[in-house]
Amino acid sequence: MGRYFGRKLGIYVLTFFVAVTINWIIPRFMPGDPVRTMVSRAGLQDPAGVAAMREYYTNLFGFDLPIWQQYLNFWGELLQGNFGTSLWAYPQPVGSIILAAVPYTLGLLLPAILLSWWAGNKFGAYAARKKVLDNTVLPVWYVLTATPYMWLAILLAWALGKVAGIFPVGRSFSASLQPEWSWLFINDLISHWFLPFLSLFLVMFGGWAIGMRNLVIYELEADYANYLGALGAPQRLVRRYAFRNALLPQVTGLALQLGVIVGGQIVTEIVFDYRGLGYLVLQAINANDLFLLQGIFLFIVIGVLVANFIIDIVYVLVDPRTRVGMSA
């Protein structure tokens, strides 16, 4: 087992190096000049002052160095835990800006993924043996799972926010409040959180339910299920084995979903002006803040790699065939 996880860890380290390198390169292909954007925000009219400020920022952020030296300096700073200084929120460090937004993103992302995975698998397994649900409710989820996150988010914001006025639309909490441990703030935080969560949950729930329904039907028609039935095994036992075998691809899908959902979740945050990583991505793009962009993408890369490594460990625990293959 140690050899298996050592090999996996080596693959993840190599993947991390390649992903971080690509993450460093991509923002530098963005159109626009970040230094010019910062100088224009200052509103200086004197050409000498503009030139002096431009030279100062160029030297400060190391844009005057050769590209290979900028790359080596990036790794040197990264290994020391320094993600650079934000151009958009200068002079705040990128790390503190991301850490302030991460709780909102994780509080939105993790419940949506985990609850939809659990509820979708349960509902899909139940629908596989109930024709009424299979013919009535499940087609609705076919439509929802094919719906883009941002489109459903816009519909929910319009219907439940603007028209019905049940939930607020925009921001993570009301502008009149400050983050604190009080029932007033927590209630306001939940009311702003619900619509983004619901848009993500509905789309993901349909995908998990449909996938589990198809997998359970396939497992119930497999040779081992027919053999158990011929031996007189109760249907409850057969369905239990079918569900456990059908769950294995869903565990793998959970790891993949952690990577796929990030893109849709960012767009959902932008729709609702939810102040998580998606909001920061929009601000970084508007300000040509390549340091903030690469910091956010680095966080996403690390999160996806860690999640996949955890799923690899879980897969060894839930799939006996993996353990047998490792011992062989």
Side-chain angles (χ1 to χ4, degrees):
M1 184 174 292
R3 183 180 178 184
Y4 171 81
F5 286 119
R7 185 170 63 250
K8 282 285 186 180
L9 186 59
I11 294 174
Y12 281 118
V13 170
L14 178 61
T15 304
F16 174 77
F17 174 78
V18 174
V20 171
T21 300
I22 296 174
N23 172 44
W24 180 85
I25 294 174
I26 289 178
R28 282 158 177 78
F29 284 99
M30 289 174 54
D33 185 352
V35 173
R36 179 179 298 176
T37 303
M38 291 189 67
V39 173
S40 63
R41 286 207 308 264
L44 293 179
Q45 301 297 328
D46 181 21
V50 171
M53 181 175 288
R54 182 176 180 82
E55 182 181 1
Y56 170 76
Y57 284 134
T58 300
N59 296 332
L60 177 65
F61 295 110
F63 293 137
D64 57 331
L65 300 175
I67 194 70
W68 62 267
Q69 191 170 349
Q70 292 184 42
Y71 176 71
L72 294 180
N73 290 343
F74 163 76
W75 272 107
E77 295 293 330
L78 180 62
L79 294 177
Q80 298 178 33
N82 183 15
F83 299 100
T85 303
S86 172
L87 304 177
W88 163 66
Y90 182 82
Q92 295 186 43
V94 168
S96 63
I97 297 175
I98 294 177
L99 287 178
V102 162
Y104 297 104
T105 292
L106 293 183
L108 178 63
L109 180 65
L110 292 181
I113 291 178
L114 298 179
L115 288 177
S116 65
W117 185 83
W118 176 80
N121 285 326
K122 290 289 186 180
F123 182 84
Y126 190 70
R129 58 182 189 270
K130 295 292 181 180
K131 290 187 177 180
V132 175
L133 291 177
D134 199 20
N135 296 328
T136 56
V137 179
L138 208 60
V140 177
W141 299 116
Y142 277 102
V143 176
L144 286 176
T145 195
T147 303
Y149 295 102
M150 56 282 193
W151 188 74
L152 183 59
I154 293 172
L155 286 181
L156 290 174
W158 173 78
L160 299 180
K162 295 298 184 181
V163 177
I166 301 175
F167 297 100
V169 178
R171 298 181 59 91
S172 308
F173 52 87
S174 298
S176 59
L177 298 178
Q178 293 294 328
E180 59 182 0
W181 292 107
S182 67
W183 287 114
L184 177 63
F185 176 76
I186 293 175
N187 181 66
D188 184 79
L189 189 68
I190 293 175
S191 64
H192 284 79
W193 166 87
F194 184 76
L195 284 183
F197 163 79
L198 185 62
S199 65
L200 296 172
F201 176 85
L202 290 177
V203 174
M204 289 187 288
F205 178 90
W208 294 125
I210 293 167
M212 177 54 74
R213 176 258 184 194
N214 295 336
L215 288 169
V216 168
I217 291 177
Y218 173 81
E219 293 293 336
L220 288 175
E221 295 175 354
D223 291 339
Y224 76 89
N226 294 326
Y227 181 71
L228 285 174
L231 291 178
Q235 283 298 312
R236 183 177 181 182
L237 178 62
V238 176
R239 288 196 296 265
R240 183 185 305 169
Y241 278 110
F243 177 76
R244 291 183 62 182
N245 287 329
L247 193 62
L248 297 177
Q250 297 290 79
V251 171
T252 304
L254 178 61
L256 298 177
Q257 187 74 18
L258 289 170
V260 174
I261 187 61
V262 167
Q265 179 258 344
I266 286 178
V267 178
T268 302
E269 284 190 1
I270 293 174
V271 170
F272 288 100
D273 193 28
Y274 199 77
R275 303 304 173 90
L277 293 180
Y279 171 80
L280 291 184
V281 167
L282 179 62
Q283 302 304 320
I285 292 175
N286 290 336
N288 289 319
D289 190 345
L290 54 91
F291 297 112
L292 183 55
L293 264 182
Q294 70 187 22
I296 295 171
F297 293 153
L298 177 63
F299 173 81
I300 293 173
V301 166
I302 293 175
V304 172
L305 290 177
V306 170
N308 278 268
F309 188 70
I310 293 174
I311 292 298
D312 278 337
I313 297 175
V314 172
Y315 211 86
V316 171
L317 298 177
V318 301
D319 189 356
R321 294 170 297 183
T322 305
R323 295 195 294 273
V324 172
M326 289 165 56
S327 62

